[in-house]
Amino acid sequence: MTQLIWLRSDLRTSDNTALASAMAAGPTVAVYLITPGQWLAHDDAACKVDFWLRNLVELAGRLQALNVPLLIRDVEEWQAAPDALLKLCQELAVQRLHYNGEYGVNEQRRDQAVAARLRAAGIDVRRYLDQLLFAPGSVLTQSGGYFKVFGQFRRACLARLSMSLPACVAPPAPQHPMTVASDVPPDEVRGFDRPSDYLRTLWPAGETFAQHRLAAFIGDDLHQYHQRRDLPAEPGTSQLSAYLAAGVISIRQCLHAAVASNRGELDSGSAGATTWINELLWREFYKHILVGYPRVSMHRAFRAETEALPWRRATDELQAWQEGRTGFPIIDAAMRQLRETGWMHNRLRMVTAMFLSKNLLIDWREGERWFMRHLIDGDLAANNGGWQWSASTGTDSVPYFRLFNPISQSQRFDPDGQFLRRWLPELQGLGKREIHNPSTQRSLFGKADYPAPIIDLGESRARALDAFRNLPDVRP
């Protein structure tokens, strides 16, 4: 029986549950759907789409070594996926479709529509757990609900992982060659500009590179991760998020590498290893939230009462934030890093998000959308979860009265101003004290090449606290 694997956010051949299962069942063909209209509707970044295409090229070579043809089909949106896949199944006499699960509301509806259409035509459909360690709905509170607090979710996951780690899937052996000819992945997709060569060099494609990056991080940086992860000027993070989001590497591979380096321990031993394992579980947590509380996939706040917040429509301030012209160096440097590299340091994601949603009191959804349009590692669950955490509208969110001060955050995590000088060359001449707050150095006529702060921090803090205090059911 001919098998068809539908590739999505799982662009690898190693530890790919659906691929291994398909190839174990019979001669296998792979398909990838190009859906530009859907990607635009989901605010997917041009650099992320380019990253997908480059990884498809690498994946095509690995599939060729397994004698698995890769077919590319173009449809505008996911509504066309059932017809496109049914047509392909009929052309190839496919008996079974395999795919790994995805968890946003639109993704689940798409998969349900595809499964219904194919099963009605007598084609079997198999869905697999691959993107996560645990199936959503399998890690629940004692009352049978989804966890709302990460610490409790983490303890439940660690208890299960301590009994056994989810095994990585054995790599499939090459199958007999098929007569189906492979398609060549496109170089670009309509509606998405090609990113700069500089950005592309920062993110080489392919699971071989992803595995090398994982090995280098585990060997060189893992055990200092807890000390260096908050320092944006240092390469203290794994920078695997883009590869995890596209499925070029699996969470199981990452977890096994971390545990092996930590002598089999999950929650003791190396502080760096346990901290990074916690970060993997944060990604897991936010995926479970998508399923348990689907409203977060639909541009709604997790905490319903915060929908009444009096968000400001401050177009000029929003644009200044987007373009890195706020007059607060750590904010501006982070936003410039995002635009030029397709990535932002995680500490700075929190700082910039809190500045927009609290100091500027601009709807967190504006920031969530902007990040998705620029992040090479853009992921609905992680991006939404992070934004709602920072804005105090989400699950397990920071208390509303906690606001990061961008000046003190800069002084604490970039004390010498090394990161600021990298992205704000106009401030090169300032000392390591003055660079965090250039407004203190202004002459009577100002500093022509760097803007004055667009807000007063004290006044903006008071405004945000008043807005939250006036909501129903909000307590300190």
Side-chain angles (χ1 to χ4, degrees):
M1 294 196 306
T2 301
Q3 313 291 310
L4 180 65
I5 174 174
W6 178 16
L7 295 163
R8 297 97 70 85
S9 53
D10 51 357
L11 303 181
R12 65 184 186 279
T13 59
S14 63
D15 192 31
N16 187 319
T17 310
L19 176 63
S21 299
M23 294 186 68
T28 298
V29 177
V31 63
Y32 186 84
L33 299 183
I34 303 289
T35 56
Q38 196 71 47
W39 296 342
L40 287 169
H42 283 183
D43 296 310
D44 288 313
C47 62
K48 183 168 70 169
V49 171
D50 175 76
F51 187 63
W52 290 340
L53 298 181
R54 292 188 287 120
N55 276 290
L56 271 179
V57 172
E58 296 293 324
L59 178 60
R62 295 180 71 94
L63 288 172
Q64 184 178 26
L66 296 174
N67 294 319
V68 175
L70 173 62
L71 305 180
I72 309 293
R73 293 294 183 267
D74 293 88
V75 296
E76 186 64 17
E77 296 180 335
W78 286 344
Q79 288 89 333
D83 288 339
L85 291 170
L86 177 59
K87 180 181 178 182
L88 182 59
C89 288
Q90 292 171 338
E91 291 173 353
L92 300 176
V94 166
Q95 300 294 312
R96 183 176 294 145
L97 174 71
H98 305 255
Y99 58 81
N100 292 314
E102 295 184 325
Y103 301 101
V105 165
N106 289 339
E107 286 82 355
Q108 292 189 76
R109 290 173 178 170
R110 172 203 62 195
D111 292 353
Q112 290 165 1
V114 167
R117 181 68 55 84
L118 268 60
R119 285 170 179 154
I123 299 168
D124 189 19
V125 177
R126 300 289 177 90
R127 181 176 185 266
Y128 302 91
L129 176 69
D130 185 77
Q131 196 178 89
L132 299 173
L133 300 171
F134 305 108
S138 68
V139 183
L140 300 174
T141 65
Q142 290 184 349
S143 61
Y146 279 77
F147 283 99
K148 299 180 181 181
V149 177
F150 171 72
Q152 298 168 355
F153 175 84
R154 169 185 169 274
R155 286 191 290 274
C157 289
L158 290 176
R160 292 179 57 174
L161 292 172
S162 65
M163 293 186 287
S164 65
L165 298 183
C168 292
V169 178
Q175 65 184 15
H176 292 295
M178 302 182 68
T179 58
V180 180
S182 293
D183 295 325
V184 178
D187 293 324
E188 57 186 24
V189 173
R190 173 181 49 80
F192 297 91
D193 296 332
R194 177 188 169 108
S196 68
D197 290 340
Y198 166 70
L199 187 151
R200 292 176 115 212
T201 61
L202 295 175
W203 306 100
E207 58 188 289
T208 298
F209 178 82
Q211 291 291 342
H212 287 163
R213 179 166 282 189
L214 172 63
F217 171 70
I218 294 294
D220 300 335
D221 300 311
L222 178 65
H223 298 290
Q224 290 78 44
Y225 176 74
H226 63 297
Q227 297 173 328
R228 302 176 66 207
R229 67 179 182 137
D230 282 323
L231 306 177
E234 295 192 19
T237 64
S238 71
Q239 297 204 13
L240 285 168
S241 55
Y243 300 90
L244 280 165
V248 183
I249 197 168
S250 77
I251 189 172
R252 291 183 296 264
Q253 291 169 326
C254 292
L255 179 63
H256 278 271
V259 171
S261 178
N262 198 31
R263 299 182 179 180
E265 296 294 334
L266 285 161
D267 199 28
S268 61
S270 164
T274 57
T275 302
W276 195 59
I277 290 170
N278 284 344
E279 292 302 309
L280 295 177
L281 293 178
W282 268 109
R283 296 181 67 86
E284 182 93 2
F285 177 59
Y286 284 138
K287 296 283 189 186
H288 285 237
I289 290 295
L290 285 186
V291 180
Y293 306 95
R295 62 182 177 271
V296 303
S297 287
M298 297 181 280
H299 307 291
R300 293 169 58 193
F302 179 85
R303 296 174 59 203
E305 70 274 12
T306 63
E307 292 286 7
L309 279 166
W311 300 116
R312 300 170 61 239
R313 297 184 64 84
T315 304
D316 291 344
E317 292 178 12
L318 174 61
Q319 187 173 357
W321 177 84
Q322 291 170 340
E323 297 177 357
R325 296 185 292 100
T326 68
F328 294 94
I330 196 65
I331 303 295
D332 297 341
M335 298 305 291
R336 295 188 195 184
Q337 180 188 42
L338 173 62
R339 289 172 69 97
E340 293 191 34
T341 71
W343 183 83
M344 186 189 291
H345 189 278
N346 188 60
R347 164 61 57 173
L348 302 186
R349 297 189 197 203
M350 294 187 289
V351 174
T352 56
M354 200 171 292
F355 183 84
L356 181 76
S357 60
K358 291 186 175 175
N359 292 106
L360 298 184
L361 203 62
I362 291 175
D363 195 329
W364 57 270
R365 283 161 281 228
E366 294 282 359
E368 179 194 28
R369 183 179 301 112
W370 184 259
F371 271 28
M372 283 299 291
R373 289 177 176 175
H374 291 83
L375 284 170
I376 197 168
D377 64 357
D379 173 88
L380 170 62
N383 190 50
N384 180 276
W387 269 96
Q388 294 220 48
W389 182 91
S390 297
S392 300
T393 64
T395 178
D396 203 31
S397 57
V398 62
Y400 75 85
F401 50 82
R402 183 182 180 191
L403 279 75
F404 288 159
N405 182 305
I407 297 173
S408 60
Q409 288 283 307
S410 180
Q411 293 167 335
R412 179 179 177 184
F413 296 111
D414 188 33
D416 296 329
Q418 184 179 348
F419 179 80
L420 300 183
R421 291 185 178 85
R422 166 69 179 85
W423 294 105
L424 303 172
E426 62 267 38
L427 301 183
Q428 284 282 2
L430 296 182
K432 66 179 184 179
R433 294 177 117 186
E434 297 81 11
I435 196 170
H436 302 287
N437 189 9
S439 63
T440 62
Q441 303 300 306
R442 290 181 175 275
S443 68
L444 178 63
F445 301 101
K447 186 172 173 56
D449 55 354
Y450 190 71
I454 61 175
I455 55 164
D456 177 273
L457 289 178
E459 292 176 358
S460 69
R461 174 183 172 83
R463 178 176 62 194
L465 294 182
D466 285 344
F468 275 91
R469 287 190 187 115
N470 289 326
L471 289 176
D473 299 322
V474 174
R475 293 173 174 80

